[in-house]
């Protein structure tokens, strides 16, 4: 299995060659050269596998340059009851007949990003050790991704994390989650400024190619193929938990931002998993919903992105979307590159012709969106009906799932975070706080380890250089 750029540049590369890379040098994203397919006998055998066995099998289709015994060890270390608080790792919770929550948020930071990021921590450590290499991850976060990355990389040999966050602008819970980490390889840098200042600093440091190479600077963003591949696993897990035999179909509803989670569902479907619909849900930032309804893709400028009560979906340009469009243009890099040139010059591209609309429909994608008022209403409704509290992102998915549900087809709503992370919105909806899982009750009282700094690119470079030499 080799990987190529969606824009057609460069030579095909193996999995471990793209593992530590971001974008391809031509600005495209790495995708598998072709999609493997799971045969009927294997699909049958997968039905009774543990999560770790399933992960080894699914990831084995995408990773051919790591011995299978080693891959097996890596997933067994990753997917444990201690880390994910259940043997199922991603347990399926029935709300009623044929209507489910697929719980993806029982990892250390209480959001689905842990499922893939925890694997990334183990496979980075493994690969760096094999190569005798080091990686210094530099990132900017307003909450979710940064904490998932830190909890995945803490204590891992060969890896350090330098995470910039806007000083005193994250929630008390998120701040406590990140800043209470005492691991020597985790550096929390609270920047006097807003999130955009943090992101600009990361971009400025990464733009200095010689500093970047000298200091082994890397990232862990959602375009990393290993993250996508690790997310494919729970689509299989959810499918087997909701069905009795492999001739049944199910649908998944996915609250979407960077298009990483639902794109993993698309890959699961390409592998042959019987998925009927992939229900994409957005909040007020509805660029992707608009695309699936009209065929026109028109990302907003960053000033036009609304700050909503499902903040992890407040995104203008969904970074993984290019991978899906690559399939829509029959994996033709010339056509894909032409679309992105059109996007750059005109601000949009148009795939509204009947032929493209047919392909989009054939890929199973449907969509819808949700507003703040609808989010609150959904949280109330789910609580009244099932005595279950869901978080605002999951609520966006649930709302669109209801619109797209079909009789006799199980609908699985992906739970992307626990409500405890978003207590302000839960209080607004239900008039009370969400319960916290055990171990998180007093997290704000833990000792915090962080440094405050100005939004100064030279200062962050000096800091990194001083903390990477040992
Ligand atoms: C990241 C995130 C999303 C969006 O997932 P994508 O893979 O970016 O589409 C949705 N909900 C929560 C809670 C998240 O953290």
């Amino acid at each position: 299995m080799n990987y190529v750029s969606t824009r057609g540049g460069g030579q095909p590369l193996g999995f471990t060659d793209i593992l530590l890379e971001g974008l391809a040098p031509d600005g495209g994203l790495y995708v598998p050269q072709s999609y493997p397919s799971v045969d009927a006998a294997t699909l049958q055998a997968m039905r009774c596998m543990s999560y770790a066995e399933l992960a080894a099998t699914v990831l084995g289709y995408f990773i051919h340059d790591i011995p299978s015994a080693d891959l097996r060890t890596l997933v067994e270390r990753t997917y444990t009851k201690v880390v994910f608080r259940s043997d199922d790792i991603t347990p399926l919770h029935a709300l009623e007949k044929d209507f489910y929550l697929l719980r993806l948020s029982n990892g250390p930071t209480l959001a689905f990003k842990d499922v893939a990021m925890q694997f990334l921590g183990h496979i980075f450590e493994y690969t760096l050790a094999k190569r005798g290499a080091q990686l210094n991850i530099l990132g900017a976060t307003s909450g979710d991704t940064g904490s998932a990355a830190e909890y995945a990389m803490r204590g891992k040999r060969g890896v350090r994390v330098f995470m910039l966050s806007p000083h005193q602008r994250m929630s008390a819970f998120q701040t406590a989650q990140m800043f209470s980490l005492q691991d020597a390889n985790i550096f929390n840098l609270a920047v006097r400024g807003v999130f955009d200042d943090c992101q600009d600093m990361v971009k400025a440091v990464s733009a200095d190619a010689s500093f970047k190479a000298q200091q082994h600077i890397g990232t862990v963003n959602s375009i990393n193929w290993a993250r996508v591949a690790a997310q494919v696993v729970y689509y299989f897990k959810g499918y087997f938990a909701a069905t009795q035999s492999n001739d049944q179909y199910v649908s998944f509803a996915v609250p979407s931002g960077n298009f990483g989670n639902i794109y993993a569902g698309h890959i699961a479907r390409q592998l042959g998993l019987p998925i009927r619909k992939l229900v994409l849900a957005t909040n007020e930032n509805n660029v992707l919903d608009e695309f699936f309804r009209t065929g026109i893709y028109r990302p907003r400028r960053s000033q036009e992105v609304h700050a909503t009560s499902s903040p992890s979906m407040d995104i203008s340009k969904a970074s993984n979307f290019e991978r899906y469009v690559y399939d829509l243009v029959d994996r033709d890099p010339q056509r894909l590159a032409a679309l992105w040139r059109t996007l750059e010059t005109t601000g949009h591209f148009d795939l509204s012709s009947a032929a493209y609309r047919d392909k989009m429909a054939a890929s199973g994608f449907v969509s819808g969106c949700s507003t703040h008022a609808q989010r609150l209403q959904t949280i109330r409704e789910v609580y009244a009906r099932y005595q279950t509290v869901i978080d605002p992102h999951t609520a966006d998915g649930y709302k669109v799932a209801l619109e797209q549900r079909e009789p006799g087809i199980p609908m699985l709503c992906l739970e992307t975070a626990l409500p405890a992370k978003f207590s302000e919105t839960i209080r607004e909806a239900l008039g009370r706080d969400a319960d916290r899982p055990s171990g998180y009750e007093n997290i704000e009282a833990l000792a915090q380890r962080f440094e405050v700094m100005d939004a100064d690119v030279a200062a962050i470079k000096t800091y990194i250089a001083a903390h990477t030499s040992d």
Side-chain angles (χ1 to χ4, degrees):
M1 168 66 60
N2 279 321
Y3 293 83
V4 292
S5 165
T6 49
R7 311 236 181 131
Q11 293 302 309
L13 294 169
F15 174 83
T16 49
D17 293 321
I18 63 159
L19 175 65
L20 304 173
E21 300 291 324
L23 291 175
D26 63 358
L29 281 78
Y30 289 111
V31 287
Q33 215 162 13
S34 63
Y35 290 124
S37 93
V38 180
D39 62 46
T42 309
L43 197 62
Q44 190 54 36
M46 287 165 110
R47 186 166 273 282
C48 9
M49 288 183 184
S50 70
Y51 195 96
E53 289 169 330
L54 202 53
T57 307
V58 170
L59 289 165
Y61 284 100
F62 297 106
I63 305 176
H64 287 178
D65 49 5
I66 291 178
S68 54
D70 290 4
L71 182 59
R72 180 77 191 243
T73 305
L74 290 173
V75 296
E76 279 170 359
R77 278 193 204 141
T78 305
Y79 297 112
T80 66
K81 186 175 180 176
V82 172
V83 175
F84 289 94
R85 293 183 293 139
S86 93
D87 283 321
D88 282 337
I89 309 298
T90 61
L92 189 70
H93 174 76
L95 295 170
E96 60 181 69
K97 184 173 162 18
D98 289 343
F99 204 44
Y100 299 93
L101 278 183
L102 181 57
R103 302 203 127 145
L104 307 179
S105 306
N106 296 321
T109 73
L110 313 183
F112 87 98
K113 291 190 177 71
D114 288 329
V115 180
M117 205 75 92
Q118 287 287 321
F119 174 66
L120 212 61
H122 287 282
I123 197 166
F124 272 16
E125 182 178 54
Y126 171 88
T127 307
L128 291 166
K130 285 247 152 161
R131 299 186 165 191
Q134 302 263 322
L135 180 67
N136 293 307
I137 294 167
L138 174 63
T141 191
S142 52
D144 270 3
T145 310
S147 57
E150 290 190 355
Y151 278 78
M153 303 300 162
R154 64 187 294 200
K156 297 289 189 296
R157 285 177 303 263
V159 189
R160 295 183 192 84
V161 178
F162 297 88
M163 192 58 67
L164 310 184
S165 58
H167 185 41
Q168 293 179 337
R169 282 174 196 266
M170 291 192 295
S171 73
F173 184 86
Q174 280 180 323
T175 307
Q177 230 181 4
M178 288 178 53
F179 292 5
S180 63
L181 288 178
Q182 302 296 330
D183 306 77
N185 69 331
I186 303 295
F187 301 91
N188 283 305
L189 303 171
V191 175
R192 294 190 190 90
V194 294
F195 171 68
D196 283 335
D197 298 319
C198 300
Q199 201 160 38
D200 288 346
M201 288 168 75
V202 171
K203 281 186 193 151
V205 173
S206 304
D208 181 343
S210 75
F211 181 84
K212 197 178 165 198
Q214 201 179 7
Q215 298 295 334
H216 313 290
I217 303 287
T219 54
V220 283
N221 47 30
S222 74
I223 59 165
N224 186 292
W225 181 263
R227 279 181 68 182
V228 172
Q231 288 172 175
V232 174
V233 179
Y234 52 69
Y235 284 88
F236 281 82
K237 182 75 183 167
Y239 172 79
F240 294 126
T243 58
Q244 283 77 49
S245 73
N246 296 346
D247 54 4
Q248 291 173 277
Y249 277 77
V250 307
S251 295
F252 291 93
V254 190
S256 294
N258 263 323
F259 202 76
N261 198 354
I262 199 162
Y263 176 71
H266 172 69
I267 299 301
R269 202 169 182 270
Q270 301 302 313
L271 287 176
L273 191 67
I275 297 176
R276 188 167 156 80
K277 285 185 186 174
L278 288 165
V279 180
L280 177 138
T282 68
N283 59 22
E284 290 88 336
N285 298 298
N286 60 351
V287 172
L288 292 173
D289 174 38
E290 192 175 278
F291 174 76
F292 284 103
R293 279 186 297 105
T294 66
I296 293 171
Y297 180 59
R298 191 189 300 276
R300 313 282 184 263
R301 286 190 298 272
S302 41
Q303 317 85 275
E304 296 170 324
V305 175
H306 305 275
T308 76
S309 49
S310 44
S312 300
M313 295 155 66
D314 293 348
I315 276 158
S316 58
K317 279 189 194 134
S319 40
N320 280 289
F321 183 61
E322 180 171 334
R323 287 180 161 135
Y324 171 74
V325 175
Y326 182 69
D327 286 346
L328 282 184
V329 298
D330 297 324
R331 318 196 97 224
D332 175 345
Q334 265 71 49
R335 276 157 81 195
L336 190 283
L339 285 178
W340 254 260
R341 280 195 299 274
T342 306
L343 186 62
E344 245 158 58
T345 50
T346 68
H348 75 288
F349 62 70
D350 183 342
L351 298 182
S352 64
S353 70
Y356 281 119
R357 302 304 294 277
D358 288 350
K359 276 191 209 158
M360 283 155 65
S363 71
F365 275 80
V366 292
S367 71
C369 66
S370 174
T371 63
H372 178 69
Q374 289 168 325
R375 207 167 293 134
L376 296 182
Q377 183 57 28
T378 302
I379 293 169
R380 285 186 203 112
E381 249 170 53
V382 171
Y383 185 64
R385 192 173 289 179
Y386 309 110
Q387 289 74 55
T388 298
V389 182
I390 58 172
D391 101 289
H393 306 79
T394 308
D396 289 337
Y398 179 100
K399 186 250 177 195
V400 185
L402 276 188
E403 296 164 0
Q404 296 289 345
R405 223 177 139 185
E406 299 164 287
I409 310 282
M411 173 67 79
L412 283 67
C413 300
L414 271 48
E415 180 179 59
T416 56
L418 290 194
K421 289 193 91 166
F422 300 96
S423 40
E424 202 174 294
T425 304
I426 300 304
R427 227 176 295 133
E428 192 180 347
L430 301 178
R432 68 171 189 84
D433 283 321
D435 297 334
R436 282 194 185 176
S438 61
Y440 292 78
E441 296 88 348
N442 295 313
I443 187 169
E444 290 93 339
L446 298 174
Q448 299 194 352
R449 183 171 166 271
F450 64 100
E451 290 195 43
V452 182
M453 55 176 13
D454 289 325
D456 175 349
V457 175
I460 177 78
K461 283 185 179 170
T462 307
Y463 185 93
I464 292 173
H467 290 87
T468 54
S469 48
D470 58 15

Coordinates of all heavy atoms in Angstrom, one line a residue, residues 65-77 119 126 130:
D65 N 4.3 -1.4 5.9 CA 5.8 -1.3 6.2 C 6.1 -1.4 7.7 O 7.2 -1.0 8.1 CB 6.4 -0.1 5.5 CG 5.6 1.2 5.8 OD1 4.7 1.1 6.6 OD2 6.0 2.2 5.2
I66 N 5.2 -1.9 8.5 CA 5.4 -2.2 9.9 C 5.0 -3.7 10.1 O 3.9 -4.1 9.7 CB 4.6 -1.3 10.8 CG1 5.1 0.1 10.7 CG2 4.7 -1.8 12.3 CD1 4.3 1.1 11.6
P67 N 5.9 -4.5 10.7 CA 5.6 -5.9 10.8 C 4.3 -6.1 11.6 O 4.0 -5.4 12.5 CB 6.8 -6.5 11.6 CG 7.9 -5.5 11.4 CD 7.3 -4.2 11.2
S68 N 3.4 -7.1 11.2 CA 2.1 -7.1 11.7 C 2.1 -7.4 13.2 O 1.3 -7.0 14.0 CB 1.2 -8.1 11.0 OG 1.9 -9.4 10.9
A69 N 3.2 -8.2 13.7 CA 3.3 -8.4 15.1 C 3.5 -7.1 15.9 O 3.0 -6.9 17.0 CB 4.4 -9.4 15.4
D70 N 4.3 -6.2 15.3 CA 4.6 -4.9 16.0 C 3.3 -4.1 16.0 O 3.0 -3.4 17.0 CB 5.7 -4.2 15.2 CG 7.0 -4.8 15.4 OD1 7.1 -5.9 16.0 OD2 8.0 -4.3 14.9
L71 N 2.6 -4.1 14.9 CA 1.3 -3.3 14.8 C 0.3 -3.8 15.8 O -0.3 -3.0 16.5 CB 0.7 -3.4 13.4 CG -0.5 -2.6 13.1 CD1 -0.3 -1.1 13.3 CD2 -1.0 -2.9 11.7
R72 N 0.3 -5.1 16.0 CA -0.6 -5.7 16.9 C -0.2 -5.2 18.4 O -1.1 -4.8 19.1 CB -0.4 -7.2 16.8 CG -1.2 -8.1 17.7 CD -2.6 -8.2 17.3 NE -3.4 -8.8 18.3 CZ -4.0 -9.9 18.2 NH1 -4.0 -10.6 17.1 NH2 -4.7 -10.4 19.2
T73 N 1.1 -5.2 18.7 CA 1.5 -4.7 20.0 C 1.1 -3.2 20.2 O 0.6 -2.8 21.2 CB 3.1 -4.8 20.1 OG1 3.4 -6.2 19.8 CG2 3.5 -4.4 21.5
L74 N 1.3 -2.4 19.1 CA 1.0 -1.0 19.2 C -0.5 -0.8 19.5 O -0.9 0.0 20.4 CB 1.3 -0.3 18.0 CG 2.8 -0.1 17.7 CD1 3.1 0.5 16.3 CD2 3.5 0.8 18.7
V75 N -1.4 -1.5 18.8 CA -2.8 -1.3 19.1 C -3.2 -1.9 20.5 O -4.1 -1.3 21.1 CB -3.7 -1.8 18.0 CG1 -3.5 -1.1 16.7 CG2 -3.6 -3.3 17.8
E76 N -2.6 -3.0 20.9 CA -2.9 -3.5 22.2 C -2.5 -2.6 23.3 O -3.2 -2.5 24.3 CB -2.2 -4.9 22.4 CG -3.0 -6.0 21.7 CD -2.3 -7.3 21.7 OE1 -1.2 -7.4 22.1 OE2 -2.9 -8.3 21.1
R77 N -1.4 -1.8 23.1 CA -1.0 -0.8 24.1 C -2.0 0.4 24.1 O -2.2 1.0 25.1 CB 0.4 -0.3 23.8 CG 1.5 -1.2 24.3 CD 2.8 -0.5 24.2 NE 3.8 -1.5 24.2 CZ 4.9 -1.4 23.5 NH1 5.1 -0.3 22.7 NH2 5.8 -2.3 23.5
F119 N -3.4 6.4 19.4 CA -2.7 5.5 18.6 C -1.5 6.2 18.0 O -0.4 5.7 17.9 CB -3.6 5.0 17.5 CG -2.9 4.2 16.4 CD1 -2.3 2.9 16.8 CD2 -2.8 4.6 15.1 CE1 -1.6 2.2 15.8 CE2 -2.1 3.9 14.2 CZ -1.5 2.7 14.5
Y126 N 7.2 4.6 18.4 CA 7.8 3.4 17.7 C 8.6 3.7 16.5 O 9.8 3.3 16.4 CB 6.6 2.5 17.3 CG 7.0 1.3 16.4 CD1 7.4 0.1 17.0 CD2 6.9 1.4 15.0 CE1 7.7 -1.0 16.2 CE2 7.3 0.3 14.2 CZ 7.7 -0.9 14.8 OH 8.0 -1.9 14.0
K130 N 12.8 3.6 15.9 CA 13.4 2.8 14.8 C 14.3 3.7 13.9 O 15.3 3.2 13.4 CB 12.2 2.3 13.8 CG 11.4 1.2 14.4 CD 11.7 -0.1 13.5 CE 11.5 -1.3 14.4 NZ 11.2 -2.5 13.8

